[in-house]
Amino acid sequence: MRIFGAGTRDNFEYRELTTFWTVPNLITVLRFLLVPLFVWQTLTMHYGWATLTLAILGSSDWIDGFAARRLDQISTVGKWLDPVADRVALIVIATTFVATGIAPAWLVFSIVIPDAVLIINAWVLFHGNPNLPVSNLGKFRTALLLVGTPLLLLGNTNWGRGTILGDIATWALALACVLHVIAAVQYFLLARRKAKALRSGTEWSG
């Protein structure tokens, strides 16, 4: 079974829908709605419930991709909505962790600064979304972040405090942040190569 690209049908020609109303997009919207719930749960120190919310957030990222491929519901909206949901969720989660003292400041800086550079770069070169493919490195980074953050919360509960959960979470998040920076550099260079190809009239193949 594939970890990345789960639900892919071999030898199947996928269509690209233009409608917003697909199962994957509705799951992505649910992810947006869970973010403020997570913030409230964390600020009120309901870490157990916040951990559950994060687990649902993380699994929804995998489920919407699976549903898009399995149900043949890949859409134009979903291609930009899903990564935006991921970015918003990760930035808000990291900021909440740092603001409440659960995580050190390097967590939010290593996520927000590379993302800000990528957004500015994309706006300068494309005046919007550069529509670049997500690399396996980027997917692995996101998976680590979505696994490490619930573990970090569990390490702050009465049940998890004093266990190795906090240490595991810290190492997972540290690795995720390193990969995030590396992936950001790759996307930055890929965006510039794509822009150069488009300016010269060369066909872009990725």
Side-chain angles (χ1 to χ4, degrees):
M1 181 179 178
R2 294 182 175 95
I3 297 177
F4 301 129
T8 299
R9 304 189 202 179
D10 295 325
N11 303 316
F12 182 81
E13 186 175 348
Y14 286 95
R15 57 182 177 165
E16 184 171 317
L17 305 176
T18 56
T19 179
F20 168 82
W21 300 105
T22 66
V23 171
N25 288 345
L26 294 178
I27 295 173
T28 302
V29 170
L30 172 64
R31 196 180 324 149
F32 272 112
L33 297 177
L34 287 176
V35 171
L37 175 61
F38 159 79
V39 173
W40 177 79
Q41 291 169 333
T42 304
L43 292 177
T44 55
M45 301 181 69
H46 290 88
Y47 294 146
W49 287 109
T51 300
L52 177 60
T53 300
L54 274 184
I56 297 173
L57 273 166
S59 60
S60 72
D61 185 40
W62 184 88
I63 292 171
D64 63 14
F66 176 87
R69 291 179 288 269
R70 179 56 59 183
L71 301 177
D72 189 20
Q73 291 189 355
I74 296 173
S75 67
T76 304
V77 174
K79 283 187 172 182
W80 64 261
L81 184 64
D82 182 62
V84 167
D86 288 342
R87 284 292 184 274
V88 170
L90 290 175
I91 290 173
V92 173
I93 289 168
T95 302
T96 303
F97 275 4
V98 173
T100 53
I102 295 175
W106 57 256
L107 177 64
V108 70
F109 291 145
S110 61
I111 292 175
V112 173
I113 293 175
D115 279 359
V117 172
L118 289 179
I119 291 171
I120 294 171
N121 186 55
W123 181 255
V124 170
L125 296 177
F126 303 96
H127 301 291
N129 189 351
N131 293 316
L132 297 174
V134 180
S135 67
N136 284 336
L137 177 63
K139 293 176 182 177
F140 185 58
R141 171 247 9 238
T142 300
L144 278 175
L145 286 169
L146 294 176
V147 168
T149 46
L151 288 179
L152 190 61
L153 272 179
L154 277 178
N156 282 271
T157 62
N158 291 331
W159 175 82
R161 193 172 291 114
T163 68
I164 64 171
L165 285 176
D167 293 333
I168 294 174
T170 299
W171 281 106
L173 291 174
L175 177 57
C177 288
V178 171
L179 295 179
H180 185 76
V181 174
I182 295 173
V185 172
Q186 290 180 342
Y187 288 134
F188 180 87
L189 296 176
L190 190 60
R192 300 194 73 83
R193 286 199 294 269
K194 180 177 181 179
K196 183 178 179 180
L198 294 176
R199 284 197 301 268
S200 63
T202 305
E203 183 177 352
W204 171 253
S205 61

